[in-house]
Amino acid sequence: MKSFSGADIKNVMLAGHAGSGKTTLAEAMLYLSGATDRLGKTAEGNTVMDFDSEEKKRQATVSTSVAYFERKGKKINIIDSPGLFDFEGGICEAMRAADTVLIVLSGKSGVNVGSQKVYKMAKSAGKAIMVYISKLNSDSADYFKVLNDVKEKFGPSACPVVVPQLKNDKADSYVNLITGKAYKYDENGKASETEESGTLDEYRPQMYEAVAGSDEELMEKYFGGEEFSEQEVLSGLAAGTLHGDIIPVLCGAGQTLACVDLLLDAIADIAPSAADIPAEKAEVDGAEKELACSDNGPLAAVVFKTVADPFIGRLSYFKVISGKLTASSKAVNARTGAPERFAKISIPFGGKQVDVSELSAGDIGVFSKLADVKTGDTICEQGQKIILKGVDFPASCLSMAVWPKNKGDEEKIVSGIQRLMEEDPTIGYENNQETRELIVKGLGEQHLDVVVSRLKSKFGVDVTMTVPKVAYRETIRKKVKVQGRHKKQSGGHGQFGDVWIEFEPCDSDSLVFEEKIFGGAVPKNFFPAVEKGLTESMQRGTLAGYPVVGVKATLVDGSYHPVDSSEMSFKLAAALAFKNGIPQASPVLLEPIGSLKVVLPDENMGDIMGEINKRRGRVLGMNPDEDRMQIVDAEIPMAETGDFATLLRSMTAGRGSFTLSFERYEEVPANIAQKIISESNAGDNDAK
């Protein structure tokens, strides 16, 4: 594999809603460019890009993959990203590595939610954007309807570059507005020139107007009535695409290979190269500097994806931002400061790696078996500490409890999840000591379903998932004074401990213990034993067995025996006082309340507010955001949010998102508390 400079490298992300045809288009691009000798098909599970077993099983992309081909002397890295919302982490990885985002739209469904979300992400990240309207071989496809939809949703910068000519309401040939030529395609994707039937007259002026806006000289020429040369059109489109003033719109059919060749040419001619992209900001030795895409700059590469395989080890996908990388490069991990040695450097081609001797700035490669390199890390030149922007991942929003099907697999589950988290930082987990559950967090039901499947396939662990238990609390509402008396006589020394304790409410998450003993009724050396007995009793309340909070206990009186009293006797006496006193102090159940922030379209406001109220939540306020969405701030019992992620996604067609964080504990309404207590007591009886 020959080496390419940054000026000849183009990093293009394929993005869009699930089912839009991204992977099919990627396979067509690889096949027509000569990078593969057969056309992979998703339905047959033989694609280059969807090589993971989960992707073959689901026939959908669930993780980012990279491959490359050459076109017109350019190396083009294509980065296929997931379209399902549950795998948004993969979209974020691809966005970090790409310079151009090619939004793939179905000619049947047009601009949908996934496409709009990716468009906003790309604009926010300052990426160049192109659009490809695919599946025009379908009977229900409507290019012109989708084009109008693109202009409405993405703005007037959308500029047609390739337009279909229809026959019986179906794409029959395609006109390249740049060259002015029309082409028909056979079943192998081979083009033959055909007659142009007036499409140029209608759509070429739109392209010329967009091109004129990219350069003052072209603007003067345009208003002077002069024709643009082909090179001037290409230069104007390239400049407009780079600066975000033009979104070139192309079309075709990935399944039949129709018009994919014009897309390949457009990427080679119009999409910005790695060297065209503005210099990237980085922290260099504590100061903010700009790193240009140059082989002569200091070495700096960002890891945007990690694969942790139990058999082949860890693979770290990276993009070289500055400098030239070779196997002999002296580099360090900026996060850890540890030196990194490269046994070999490879470039990715789907599930395979191709060894190379060097990588120039702007290119994408793979490190293998680096010890402590994580997604988002910067690999930089030794002697300088360079920190590049990492990957912005969404926060996980759905939690489930994981249970092993086979006893003794708990450690294997934790180990497997930790390895999966290396690959996918949107996965999270915690071992809840209160509920004694291992909680796994993800972006949705399908995301967690893949976690379960990979635990089995990669780590040999069978698990089931259940809705997590809620970490309730118990507290008291009034002051009481009770006695705890422990007396036991057996052979030899007996046991005797006697305490009087006042229990009262207070603001504390743990026990507040005081003593007001007069006259030595209880010796001081037994005070710690009394406190320990109460502290241990606080772990399991008398209502439903949940931890007790907000209790102040004051030791006010008692008695002891000079021979039979011991620390254990007073510890047991304190526990009896707790058991007798708490039920008399008006105990109540507390539930965790979460702070909920929902971002959603305005038309769904009424439904979501009704849903929050139905779940015993309180809406605190509403504010519009900059993307013409609404932000709802609310408080809601966390027990009512188990399926909120799924419901919000369904209700808003995937446009809504939310964050939920613990706020405080509040008393559970009496009718609901009684149900919780009954269920808890029933569970205790079953356990017995």
Side-chain angles (χ1 to χ4, degrees):
M1 180 72 190
K2 67 180 182 180
S3 180
F4 290 82
S5 67
D8 295 324
I9 297 171
K10 310 212 171 187
N11 300 307
V12 181
M13 169 187 177
L14 303 187
H17 199 85
S20 60
K22 300 183 298 299
T23 302
T24 299
L25 178 60
E27 297 299 315
M29 295 165 74
L30 293 170
Y31 178 69
L32 282 182
S33 65
T36 58
D37 56 8
R38 61 171 174 76
L39 181 63
K41 296 182 179 180
T42 303
E44 296 175 7
N46 60 359
T47 63
V48 171
M49 306 306 276
D50 283 356
F51 57 87
D52 185 86
S53 58
E54 282 298 315
E55 295 174 321
K56 292 178 181 180
K57 181 176 74 174
R58 297 169 186 274
Q59 295 188 10
T61 303
V62 301
S63 58
T64 304
S65 59
V66 184
Y68 64 89
F69 59 85
E70 294 182 41
R71 188 75 170 185
K72 292 188 171 184
K74 312 291 184 184
K75 181 189 179 187
I76 299 170
N77 293 314
I78 53 172
I79 311 162
D80 190 19
S81 65
L84 296 167
F85 299 118
D86 282 20
F87 306 101
E88 190 178 340
I91 299 174
C92 298
E93 293 171 345
M95 191 72 68
R96 181 63 182 94
D99 300 318
T100 302
V101 177
L102 177 64
I103 300 177
V104 181
L105 304 175
S106 167
K108 298 186 290 184
S109 54
V111 181
N112 41 30
V113 178
S115 308
Q116 289 179 275
K117 291 180 76 169
V118 169
Y119 170 76
K120 289 179 181 179
M121 290 174 68
K123 291 293 287 184
S124 176
K127 306 294 183 181
I129 300 173
M130 300 175 70
V131 170
Y132 189 80
I133 302 174
S134 192
K135 297 188 177 182
L136 293 188
N137 59 313
S138 171
D139 291 335
S140 56
D142 190 337
Y143 166 86
F144 300 101
K145 180 181 178 181
V146 176
L147 177 63
N148 290 332
D149 199 18
V150 170
K151 290 181 177 181
E152 179 184 342
K153 302 288 175 50
F154 297 170
S157 55
C159 169
V161 173
V162 175
V163 179
Q165 295 189 133
L166 305 182
K167 185 177 181 180
N168 297 325
D169 294 327
K170 193 173 181 180
D172 178 65
S173 58
Y174 299 86
V175 178
N176 184 344
L177 300 182
I178 299 172
T179 62
K181 296 179 180 180
Y183 301 93
K184 286 180 71 75
Y185 291 85
D186 64 18
E187 59 185 13
N188 296 315
K190 187 175 181 180
S192 58
E193 197 167 336
T194 188
E195 181 182 356
E196 190 280 315
S197 57
T199 305
L200 285 173
D201 296 336
E202 183 175 357
Y203 288 97
R204 208 175 198 182
Q206 297 181 31
M207 184 184 70
Y208 274 14
E209 184 177 346
V211 167
S214 67
D215 183 86
E216 289 186 7
E217 291 185 9
L218 293 178
M219 181 70 78
E220 291 178 7
K221 193 171 183 179
Y222 175 73
F223 282 113
E226 298 180 56
E227 283 286 317
F228 293 148
S229 68
E230 184 178 325
Q231 188 55 48
E232 285 175 328
V233 172
L234 289 174
S235 298
L237 287 172
T241 303
L242 172 63
H243 297 115
D245 300 323
I246 295 176
I247 300 178
V249 180
L250 298 96
C251 61
Q255 282 185 320
T256 63
L257 305 176
C259 213
V260 175
D261 59 335
L262 296 187
L263 173 63
L264 298 180
D265 290 339
I267 291 174
D269 292 332
I270 298 172
S273 70
D276 293 329
I277 302 301
E280 184 165 322
K281 291 182 179 179
E283 183 184 312
V284 182
D285 294 331
E288 186 175 278
K289 294 185 179 180
E290 291 187 342
L291 292 181
C293 179
S294 169
D295 289 355
N296 299 321
L299 175 62
V302 62
V303 177
F304 66 87
K305 173 182 171 63
T306 301
V307 174
D309 191 279
F311 304 107
I312 64 175
R314 180 188 282 122
L315 296 177
S316 302
Y317 288 65
F318 65 91
K319 179 181 181 182
V320 182
I321 303 300
S322 170
K324 180 174 283 190
L325 182 69
T326 66
S328 60
S329 295
K330 294 182 178 180
V332 298
N333 184 334
R335 176 177 58 85
T336 64
E340 299 292 352
R341 301 185 185 279
F342 315 119
K344 62 179 181 179
I345 301 171
S346 309
I347 52 178
F349 190 81
K352 300 178 181 179
Q353 291 79 47
V354 180
D355 293 347
V356 294
S357 58
E358 63 180 27
L359 281 179
S360 296
D363 213 344
I364 291 174
V366 179
F367 295 130
S368 60
K369 300 179 181 179
L370 296 187
D372 189 26
V373 174
K374 299 179 180 180
T375 300
D377 281 354
T378 300
I379 306 299
C380 62
E381 190 171 290
Q382 202 169 46
Q384 278 191 304
K385 186 174 182 180
I386 301 174
I387 301 177
L388 295 162
K389 186 181 186 312
V391 183
D392 295 325
F393 288 106
S396 54
C397 57
L398 181 63
S399 299
M400 296 292 284
V402 179
W403 301 93
K405 288 186 178 179
N406 301 314
K407 290 184 177 180
D409 278 352
E410 288 81 4
E411 288 187 11
K412 291 173 69 176
I413 293 175
V414 173
S415 176
I417 291 174
Q418 289 174 338
R419 295 292 298 277
L420 292 178
M421 287 172 64
E422 295 176 14
E423 289 190 354
D424 185 356
T426 61
I427 299 171
Y429 89 98
E430 65 173 330
N431 198 342
N432 192 314
Q433 298 296 328
E434 291 184 28
T435 61
R436 297 180 182 178
E437 292 178 319
L438 179 63
I439 307 298
V440 178
K441 301 176 182 179
L443 298 178
E445 291 177 348
Q446 292 185 79
H447 188 202
L448 293 182
D449 188 41
V450 167
V451 170
V452 171
S453 183
R454 283 182 170 163
L455 281 173
K456 183 177 181 179
S457 62
K458 286 191 172 186
F459 306 102
V461 187
D462 262 338
V463 301
T464 57
M465 285 194 171
T466 60
V467 176
K469 297 177 184 176
V470 178
Y472 292 104
R473 297 279 193 275
E474 297 180 22
T475 192
I476 58 175
R477 286 288 177 258
K478 73 177 185 179
K479 183 176 179 179
V480 296
K481 179 180 177 181
V482 293
Q483 182 184 23
R485 183 181 177 90
H486 173 70
K487 183 178 180 180
K488 187 175 182 181
Q489 191 66 44
S490 59
H493 288 300
Q495 297 178 29
F496 181 82
D498 179 27
V499 293
W500 281 89
I501 299 175
E502 287 183 349
F503 294 101
E504 58 186 306
C506 72
D507 293 325
S508 175
D509 290 334
S510 58
L511 174 72
V512 176
F513 177 73
E514 290 184 0
E515 52 80 21
K516 295 181 179 178
I517 293 290
F518 299 99
V522 177
K524 289 184 178 180
N525 58 306
F526 293 137
F527 292 171
V530 174
E531 183 176 3
K532 186 176 182 181
L534 294 173
T535 301
E536 290 181 0
S537 298
M538 292 274 287
Q539 301 306 308
R540 184 172 176 82
T542 58
L543 273 179
Y546 292 104
V548 182
V549 297
V551 172
K552 178 182 178 181
T554 305
L555 177 61
V556 294
D557 202 355
S559 61
Y560 75 102
H561 189 279
V563 176
D564 292 345
S565 290
S566 64
E567 290 187 355
M568 179 57 70
S569 300
F570 275 96
K571 178 183 172 184
L572 294 173
L576 286 172
F578 182 91
K579 184 179 179 180
N580 295 332
I582 296 302
Q584 302 176 39
S586 298
V588 292
L589 202 62
L590 302 177
E591 64 180 342
I593 302 296
S595 176
L596 178 69
K597 185 175 183 179
V598 187
V599 181
L600 72 162
D602 187 66
E603 60 265 28
N604 300 118
M605 279 283 290
D607 293 335
I608 288 298
M609 290 177 66
E611 192 66 35
I612 291 173
N613 290 330
K614 188 170 74 174
R615 294 167 182 252
R616 300 189 287 120
R618 297 183 292 271
V619 175
L620 304 179
M622 298 165 288
N623 295 290
D625 76 350
E626 57 188 16
D627 291 325
R628 293 182 296 179
M629 301 278 275
Q630 291 287 339
I631 300 175
V632 177
D633 290 310
E635 291 181 344
I636 189 170
M638 298 185 77
E640 303 284 353
T641 61
D643 63 343
F644 191 77
T646 305
L647 178 133
L648 179 65
R649 185 167 294 170
S650 172
M651 192 173 285
T652 64
R655 293 190 292 269
S657 62
F658 76 98
T659 58
L660 179 67
S661 58
F662 171 74
E663 188 70 22
R664 64 182 179 279
Y665 275 90
E666 282 187 3
E667 185 175 338
V668 181
N671 59 325
I672 297 174
Q674 190 55 51
K675 182 180 178 182
I676 295 169
I677 294 168
S678 299
E679 290 175 351
S680 176
N681 292 335
D684 289 343
N685 291 332
D686 291 341
K688 293 175 182 177

